[in-house]
Every structure is written in C-alpha cells, then in structure tokens.
Amino acid sequence: MSIRPLDGVRVLELGNYIAAPTAGRILGDFGAEVIKVERPKVGDELRNWRLYGGDTSMLYRTVNRNKKSITLDLRTEAGRAIVLDLIRRSDVLLENFRPGMLEKWGLGPEVLNEANPRLVITRISAYGQTGPLSQRPGFAAVAEAVGGLRELVGDPDRAPVRTGVSIGDSIAGIYAAFGTVMALFQRERVRSDDDPEAAPIPLAERVIDVALNEAILSVMESLVPDYLAYGIQRERVGGRMEGIAPSNAYPCADGTSVIIGGNGDAIFQRYMRVIDRPDLAADPELQDNAGRWAQRERLDAAIAEWTGVRTRAQALEVLEAAAIPCGPIYTAADIVADEQYRARNMIQPFAVDVGAAEPKTVGFPGIVPVIGERSLPIRSVGPDLGAHTHEVLADLLGMPASEIDALEVS
C-alpha cells in the first residue's frame, strides 16, 4: 500500500539543521518531491551532528528522509539562477535562514513570486520575519527559553534543564508543514476554472511565517492566560505537571521507574484501591484534582511505597489490569523491541553506511500520522550529499552533463 496525498507537489528546500528540514521531511513523507539544496562539498551541517561513524549522521538520515539532495552555491549568480529555474517548476519554497538572507541573495518573496506567482513560501526563523527581534539569530535552545518552556522543565531546586531533543525545532517544523499544506489547499480551493495557472491569492497570503519562539509559546497551554487572569507564575515541578495529581514517575524495586497518571477522579478511586490505600480513596480532601494537588507529596509517598517493593513488570501488570494509565520509561532498546511499534510499522529497516566495511541494517522511526492502519513506508533515508544533482538538473532543467559537472567542480 502506498498512500501519498501530496503526490505531484514539488518542494524546494533551502533549509539547514532541523526546523525547515523537519517540515520538508513531513511533506516528503506523504508524497511530495522534496529537493534539498545543499552547499557544495560541505552540505547541511546536520550531516556531522552526532556522527559516530561513516560520513553522514543518523540524525541527518532521519530528518532528511524521502528527499533528493543537490548541491548549489547560492552565493554565486549561477547557483541563484538555477534556484529560480527550479522555483518556476515548484509548488513550495522552504527555508530557515536568518530574515533578510534570501533578500540579500536576490531571492526575496517578490522575486520568487515573479518567477512563480503560485508559489507557497514557507519561512522559519528565530523570531519571525517582522518585529524588533526579527534580525536576531537564535537556535531552538533560545526559543525554548523565550517561549516559556525552559522555565518549566526540571526540578524546582535546580536550574532549568532542556529536553533531550531539539523540541523547539521539531514543533516549528510541524507548524511549517501544516501551514504549507493549508496554503496549498487554499490555492487549490480558489483555483480559477478559466485559468488554472492564475494566482488569485495575494503573495502575502502565500508566505507562511513560523517563528521558533512562537511555536513553543503555542504549546504552552494556559501559561499566559493563567498569569493574566490569576497572577499565577508557573514553576518547575520535576516529574509532575502543575495542578495535576497524582501523576509522576515512581521508582520500582528493580531500579527502573514507571509513569502513572491517576489524576482523573474515577481513575483515582480505582488507583488507590489497587495500591491498598482505600483510606486515600475515601478521604474527602482528595475527591477532586485541586485537593489532590495540594496533597501531592502525601500521595506520591504512598504510591512510591507501593511501587518500591515491586518490579516494573509487576507494578505495570497490576495497574494495567485495573485500567490505570501507566507505562514504562523506554530506552531506545525498549522501543526497538516493542510489539506495539512493530505492529504499526514504526521502526523501518534500511541498510546504511555506519563507517564499517559493510553497510548495516538500521531501524528508522516510521511516518506519523498513520494512514491505513500502519505507518506508510519510508521511501529512502537522508541521501548522500549531492546524490541527485545530475538527476534533478538534467531532468527538470534540461542541463547538459558538462554544465552540471562544471557547477560541482566550482
């Protein structure tokens, strides 16, 4: 089965690192032809991040799956001319340079629009294309802090910490992909029957502007409204969630931990009976979430006492039988062995270069969301640098091999 809703859509990706490439990955996952433009000889710096062997990291292979790689030097007139030629044959331009960089190269939205009046232009930057901070550089680490996330991650008696992945980049990439698909949908919805190539949608409405800090702010739930309505300043609460109890990680006898979320009123009653604490289930002060949050230390102590004399497997067996939301804290090894991931095709094998004498079969995370009961198949993992330069420039632009070779040498 091969369901590809974005078949026929061509995306030109000028992005590096994680944010824009994540958007390109999502579009490519669902059928778009994504042509990734990389610097000659160097490529996207992500190729060297967490590189433990070979010449291309698994991070690059993951984020840039289902794409083609071509090399062009955008600092040269020839490189920019080729980009414009590709733009004329594309539906989307995706980029995450600092605001003003495309304009500096003579590839600003007005120029791109002149080349292709139906083009969707998706831009990701630290603070957006407008506003007093728009020219300031910034990676996801800064955006996560400015967006309000970093202040809430970690224990209250220690400095804020960061999640173990570039969550700000990934969230921005998801929003960028969503914005791109919205613009494509709008473009098709208002297409003129008399002139299918007409562009009734103004340029400003075809520019998708995603800021890293705003992407983080958008997932901060009621952080700002709670402050403005009640004067509440959210604080770090470790493994808990502010105002929700009991919900935490609890240590087990075998040195592992389990996550248990028993904060629903009806669930709490079953939960306390399961851990042999009917007194807590009956306590009038614990009948709603506000009361349980006020006594979270007492509840967590009782739960930890119960989990502490059981292995992870024993605790989960009892909790699952009582329909208490719970789960193990997985490592990569656990994920690879998990039957649920396997059943939905969420770990897909590819032979890749890892710096050994022979390629190694490596599992890569599947495509989300699922369509048709199982993850769609990944067509290819992130390509070698410039692997498709000849194919793309010859097939799309009709360039002779000699001209392409000259570009790659220069």
Side-chain angles (χ1 to χ4, degrees), residues 139-156 158-168 213 216-217 219-220 223 234-238:
F139 278 173
V142 178
E144 291 160 22
V146 175
L149 177 63
R150 184 70 72 94
E151 177 62 19
L152 300 187
V153 183
D155 294 309
R158 300 183 183 184
V161 298
R162 190 182 185 187
T163 56
V165 294
S166 296
I167 193 72
N213 66 310
I216 290 295
L217 176 62
V219 298
M220 294 307 297
L223 176 73
R234 292 272 302 275
E235 298 178 350
R236 293 184 296 285
V237 290

Side-chain angles (χ1 to χ4, degrees), residues 84 146 148 211 237 239 311 316 318 320 334 378 380:
L84 283 176
V146 175
V237 290
T311 65
L316 290 175
V318 174
E320 288 170 359
D334 295 321
I378 299 168
S380 62

Side-chain angles (χ1 to χ4, degrees), residues 37-42 72-81 83 97 101 104-107 410:
V37 177
E38 302 188 65
R39 291 172 294 175
K41 301 178 183 178
V42 178
L72 289 174
D73 190 345
L74 299 185
R75 297 169 300 179
T76 67
E77 186 175 338
R80 294 191 294 272
V83 164
F97 297 112
M101 185 60 70
K104 178 180 177 182
W105 287 334
L107 296 172
S410 62

Side-chain angles (χ1 to χ4, degrees), residues 197-215:
E197 297 305 314
I201 302 175
L203 172 60
E205 297 178 26
R206 286 180 282 112
V207 176
I208 307 301
D209 182 358
V210 179
L212 295 177
N213 66 310
E214 293 168 357

Side-chain angles (χ1 to χ4, degrees), residues 344-357:
R344 287 167 62 85
N345 198 31
M346 277 296 161
I347 304 295
Q348 301 185 25
F350 285 84
V352 294
D353 174 26
V354 296

Side-chain angles (χ1 to χ4, degrees), residues 86-98:
L86 291 171
I87 285 296
R88 295 183 180 97
R89 295 161 175 81
S90 299
D91 299 282
V92 177
L93 174 77
L94 179 60
E95 63 98 358
N96 63 343
F97 297 112
R98 191 189 302 188

Side-chain angles (χ1 to χ4, degrees), residues 256-270:
T256 63
S257 296
V258 291
I259 298 292
I260 312 172
N263 44 287
D265 292 348
I267 295 172
F268 176 74
Q269 296 297 317
R270 298 198 306 273

